Amino acid sequence: MPLNPEAQRIIDGFPQLDRIETPPNAAAMREEFHRTWRMPADLPPVGAVADTALPGPAGDVPVRVYVPEGTGPFPVLAWFHGGGWTIGSLDENEVACRTVCASARCLVVSVDYRLAPEHPYPAAADDAYAVTAWIAEHAAELPGGGDPSRIAVGGESAGGNLAAVVALRARDQGGPRAALQVLVSPVVGHWADGRASYDEFAEGYFLSKASMEWFFTQYPRDADDLNDPYLLPLRAGDLSNLPPALVLGAECDVLRDEGEEYARRLQAAGTPTELVRYDGVIHGFFGLLATELSVAREAHARVADALTKAFASAPGTGAGSAPAPAAGADGGA
């Protein structure tokens, strides 16, 4: 399908948006992002927002906790931002986190995990897992009060990768089982795996193939890391006995095919999984571009609805029972 007109305006307004300069520099790219990005003026209301820190494997991990109106204990979504494990921040997900918090009436704990290349793999994954495990034991201590029996994990792009990794590690290591994993345009494979979306949308669609190539020079320590399913979940031989999943993706995105392949493999392994493709849409539609792309409202509502249903079905002694039946791909508005 042709590009969504709103997506086309974004691309037309920033013709060099997806170009990676040579040699790129992570610190400079972060500084440029903070210089040019502006927090939206009209933020969705929530009960409270608190910046704090939770224990991690290498010291405290900064988090931003969004609290809905009302009285807890509330279910909890651990959310991981995107940015190729290298350049993301909590701020870019402010609208998405607030909207989901209010709509699903859950705490959203947005995690400021360590970034590469200063902290290569497995630093980000270790932080994500440690924060989720802490929530499962101490949710009641969070601002607003959380319910440790009702937790979920989610993220966009590299954050979707971390959510999927947390789910895998929890299964394998006896960790907390989430009621739902929300994977938005997740990085679950490698740019050189030969998927068609990497060729079809290599340049000119916000996130480029060159950008992904560069991110993969920053996060892994060496080539051996690329065989580790805790870095690339599509490398996992067994995807059974994982939490139910909601996988959202954009049609015009290099990451499209790997996200859809992961969803199909989850379904084949017996994991209840809903897969949604938003036609004509580009990468970043959920968080970073939420105020520019009106499709974000539909995506946020879908996530909030899935969380509400998953939390309602959680047994109360540990999250993660069966949600609604698995669904196939469909076109979003």
Side-chain angles (χ1 to χ4, degrees):
M1 289 186 66
L3 270 175
N4 176 296
E6 294 170 336
Q8 187 66 65
R9 284 196 293 272
I10 293 170
I11 292 168
D12 291 344
F14 299 93
Q16 306 300 317
L17 198 59
D18 64 355
R19 303 286 175 82
I20 285 286
E21 296 180 1
T22 304
N25 178 278
M29 292 177 73
R30 291 175 205 144
E31 180 61 31
E32 179 66 11
F33 175 82
H34 288 300
R35 186 183 68 81
T36 59
W37 192 81
R38 294 289 181 269
M39 184 74 75
D42 297 321
L43 293 171
V46 294
V49 179
D51 285 333
T52 184
L54 301 180
D60 285 349
V61 180
V63 300
R64 183 169 297 164
V65 183
Y66 302 84
V67 184
E69 298 282 357
T71 303
F74 298 104
V76 186
L77 169 66
W79 181 261
F80 311 109
H81 66 76
W85 310 283
T86 306
I87 60 174
S89 74
L90 300 183
D91 289 346
E92 68 195 55
N93 283 190
E94 189 77 13
V95 170
C97 287
R98 284 170 168 266
T99 302
V100 171
C101 167
S103 299
R105 289 188 49 76
C106 69
L107 299 182
V108 177
V109 180
S110 188
V111 182
D112 196 11
Y113 53 86
R114 287 172 291 166
L115 297 177
E118 297 89 343
H119 305 284
Y121 177 79
D126 285 349
D127 286 356
Y129 186 76
V131 167
T132 305
W134 187 93
I135 291 171
E137 294 290 333
H138 303 279
E141 300 173 29
L142 291 167
D147 180 354
S149 73
R150 296 182 293 161
I151 63 173
V153 294
E156 184 172 22
S157 194
N161 167 277
L162 296 176
V165 166
V166 168
L168 279 169
R169 286 182 59 172
R171 180 198 65 181
D172 297 344
Q173 299 172 13
R177 181 174 174 84
L180 184 71
Q181 46 180 326
V182 178
L183 312 180
V184 182
S185 305
V187 184
V188 286
H190 190 259
W191 66 266
D193 286 345
R195 296 182 179 88
S197 58
Y198 261 103
D199 294 327
E200 189 174 355
F201 306 109
E203 187 172 304
Y205 293 90
F206 189 73
L207 175 65
S208 68
K209 180 179 180 180
S211 296
M212 290 306 304
E213 290 181 24
W214 180 72
F215 289 137
F216 274 106
T217 69
Q218 304 298 296
Y219 185 47
R221 295 164 299 187
D222 52 43
D224 288 343
D225 282 343
L226 299 178
N227 297 316
D228 189 340
Y230 296 158
L231 194 152
L232 295 178
L234 272 172
R235 304 294 197 251
D238 177 14
L239 294 180
S240 64
N241 196 30
L242 287 169
L246 172 62
V247 182
L248 307 183
E251 178 192 17
C252 305
D253 184 358
V254 293
L255 300 177
R256 182 196 69 196
D257 288 355
E258 63 197 70
E260 294 184 356
E261 180 180 340
Y262 195 65
R264 289 191 294 269
R265 282 196 56 197
L266 287 170
Q267 291 172 342
T271 296
T273 301
E274 181 181 5
L275 170 62
V276 182
R277 177 194 289 187
Y278 291 103
D279 293 331
V281 176
I282 58 176
H283 190 81
F285 66 91
F286 192 87
L288 182 61
L289 302 177
T291 58
E292 280 87 9
L293 294 172
S294 56
V295 71
R297 292 193 293 271
E298 196 282 333
H300 296 162
R302 188 182 288 267
V303 167
D305 182 63
L307 286 168
T308 300
K309 292 175 180 176
F311 290 142
S313 69
T317 55
S321 357
D330 66 88

